[in-house]
C-alpha cells in the first residue's frame, strides 16, 4: 500500500506546500510548532480542503481540486488517531471501537466481536464497558488506536499520539504503538515533535519547517547529518555552516573551523556537545579548534549539564557536574572551548 501526495494549503499565515510519499516504511513527520504538521494530516484525511495538489492511495486519486476530485473523508479508508483521542463520550470503549465497523454496514454482533479482539490486542480487555471519562489518557489513546485499526484502513495517520499522555503511561503506549505500526500492512504516517518517538516508531523522517520539507530520509541519515538549526537542536548536535578549502572551513563571520577530512565548497560541520571541552584559560593541547566565548546558559541534567556558549562560534557543550563546579560555570564569564578536528562531521550543503 502506498500514499503519494502533494499538499498545498493556505491557512492564515501558514502556506503549506509538501510532497510526501509513504511506502513500506513507517514515516515520522517532525518539525517545530506551527510548521504545518497537523494541517498536513487533516488535509490528507480530507478534513481540510486542498488549494492545489493531489492525494493518491495505491495510484487511486482521492483528492485533486484541479480535476474536481474530492472523495469524502469517510470514504477514503483512512484511519486517523488525534492527540486528544476524540472518543464519543456517550459510548463505551467497545462501542467506540465498533463504531467504524457499524458505519460500514457490519452487523452489531460481528462489530462487537472484532472490537473486543482489538481491545485485547492493545492490552485493554477489561475496559470494554467503560466510557471515555472513566479511562486514563493512555487507555483512551489505545482505544482510539484500536478504533482506527479495526476497520483495516489503507492509510493510518497519527497526529501526536503521545502528546496528551502522562509520562508514566507514555513508554507503555509507545511500545504498543510500535508493535501495531510494524504489524500493520498499510501506509503509516506519524506526526510527532519528539525525537525519541520518531526514533522508536519510524524508519524514515520528513522534517517540515515553515510549511516546507527541509530534510527527509532514513532516520539515521537525518539524525547524523542535520541540515537545519532546528533539526540539529532536535537531535542534540552543534551545527555550523561555512565554506571549506581543504581541512579549513571559513565561517561567514570570518572565524575558522579545522576538520580532519578535506572538503571543498559550502558545507555543514556537525559535532556532539560532549566532544567539546571547556577551560577558563586558553588551553594547551592537541585540539586544533580553540574558541573564546561567554557562558550564556546552564542546563543541569542529573550528573551532567549542557552549557550554551555565545561568541564568534556559538555552541553547546556537555560537561560533568564536577566540571560545572570546578569551572564555576554558574557564574558565567569568559570561557574557552576546545574541539578536536576528528570530532567534526563535514558534509555538503
Amino acid at each position: 500500500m502506498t500514499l503519494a501526495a502533494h499538499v498545498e494549503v493556505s491557512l492564515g499565515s501558514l502556506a503549506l506546500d509538501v510532497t510526501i510519499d509513504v511506502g513500506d516504511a513507517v514515516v515520522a513527520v517532525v518539525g517545530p510548532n506551527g510548521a504545518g504538521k497537523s494541517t498536513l494530516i487533516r488535509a490528507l484525511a480530507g478534513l481540510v480542503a486542498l488549494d492545489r495538489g493531489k492525494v493518491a492511495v495505491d495510484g487511486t486519486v482521492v483528492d485533486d481540486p484541479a480535476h474536481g476530485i474530492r472523495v469524502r473523508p469517510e470514504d477514503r479508508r483512512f484511519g486517523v488517531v488525534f492527540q486528544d483521542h476524540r472518543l464519543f463520550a456517550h459510548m463505551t470503549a467497545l462501542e467506540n471501537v465498533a463504531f467504524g465497523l457499524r458505519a460500514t454496514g457490519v452487523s452489531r454482533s460481528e462489530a462487537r466481536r472484532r472490537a473486543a479482539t482489538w481491545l485485547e490486542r492493545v492490552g485493554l480487555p477489561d475496559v470494554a464497558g467503560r466510557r471515555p471519562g472513566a479511562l486514563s489518557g493512555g487507555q483512551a489513546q489505545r482505544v482510539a488506536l484500536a478504533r482506527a485499526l479495526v476497520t483495516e484502513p489503507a492509510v493510518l495517520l497519527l497526529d501526536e499520539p503521545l502528546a496528551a499522555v502522562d509520562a508514566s503511561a507514555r513508554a507503555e503506549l509507545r511500545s504498543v504503538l510500535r508493535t501495531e505500526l510494524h504489524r500493520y500492512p498499510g501506509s503509516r504516517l506519524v506526526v510527532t515533535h519528539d525525537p525519541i518517538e520518531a526514533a522508536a516508531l519510524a524508519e524514515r523522517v520528513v522534517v517540515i519547517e515553515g510549511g516546507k520539507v527541509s530534510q527527509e530520509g532514513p532516520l539515521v541519515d537525518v539524525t547524523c547529518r542535520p541540515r537545519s538549526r532546528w533539526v540539529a537542536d532536535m537531535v542534540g548536535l552543534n551545527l555550523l555552516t561555512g565554506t571549506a578549502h581543504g581541512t579549513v572551513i571559513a565561517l561567514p563571520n570570518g572565524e575558522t573551523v579545522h576538520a580532519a577530512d578535506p572538503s571543498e565548497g559550502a558545507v555543514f560541520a556537525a559535532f556532539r556537545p560532549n566532544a567539546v571541552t571547556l577551560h577558563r584559560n586558553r588551553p594547551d593541547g592537541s585540539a586544533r579548534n580553540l574558541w573564546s566565548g561567554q557562558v550564556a546558559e546552564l542546563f543541569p541534567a542529573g550528573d551532567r549539564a549542557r552549557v550554551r556558549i555565545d561568541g564568534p562560534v556559538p555552541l553547546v557543550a556537555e560537561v560533568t557536574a564536577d566540571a560545572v563546579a570546578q569551572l564555576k560555570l554558574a557564574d558565567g564569564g569568559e570561557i574557552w572551548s576546545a574541539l578536536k578536528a576528528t570530532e567534526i562531521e563535514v558534509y555538503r550543503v
Side-chain angles (χ1 to χ4, degrees), residues 144-156:
L145 177 64
R147 183 177 63 178
L149 289 171
V150 71
T151 58
E152 299 179 352
V155 176
L156 181 62

Side-chain angles (χ1 to χ4, degrees), residues 106-272:
V106 176
S107 69
R108 183 173 183 272
S109 60
E110 176 62 13
R112 290 174 69 87
R113 184 192 67 78
R114 287 161 64 178
T117 298
W118 266 101
L119 283 176
E120 185 170 359
R121 190 159 159 177
V122 297
L124 296 176
D126 300 328
V127 307
R130 297 185 197 173
R131 292 187 177 181
L135 302 175
S136 69
Q139 289 173 331
Q141 202 64 321
R142 278 192 270 177
V143 172
L145 177 64
R147 183 177 63 178
L149 289 171
V150 71
T151 58
E152 299 179 352
V155 176
L156 181 62
L157 307 173
L158 294 91
D159 185 9
E160 300 277 10
L162 302 179
V165 179
D166 60 61
S168 62
R170 192 168 296 137
E172 183 180 359
L173 180 54
R174 186 184 296 126
S175 178
V176 172
L177 279 173
R178 179 177 175 82
T179 297
E180 295 305 331
L181 284 173
H182 287 268
R183 186 157 52 182
Y184 171 71
S187 296
R188 298 145 294 175
L189 190 68
V190 184
V191 162
T192 180
H193 67 279
D194 187 337
I196 295 175
E197 288 176 25
L201 301 176
E203 299 143 291
R204 289 186 57 241
V205 173
V206 175
V207 183
I208 298 179
E209 298 181 69
K212 306 289 191 296
V213 175
S214 62
Q215 189 172 356
E216 62 180 308
L219 179 64
V220 65
D221 290 350
V222 173
T223 56
C224 290
R225 293 192 162 195
R227 307 189 72 82
S228 75
R229 171 62 55 194
W230 186 87
V231 177
D233 289 344
M234 179 188 73
V235 300
L237 292 177
N238 289 291
L239 185 68
L240 303 173
T241 306
T243 303
H245 301 287
T247 59
V248 178
I249 302 168
L251 303 183
N253 64 359
E255 292 290 327
T256 58
V257 176
H258 295 270
D261 299 319
S263 188
E264 293 294 332
V267 296
F268 291 111
F271 53 95
R272 295 171 291 107

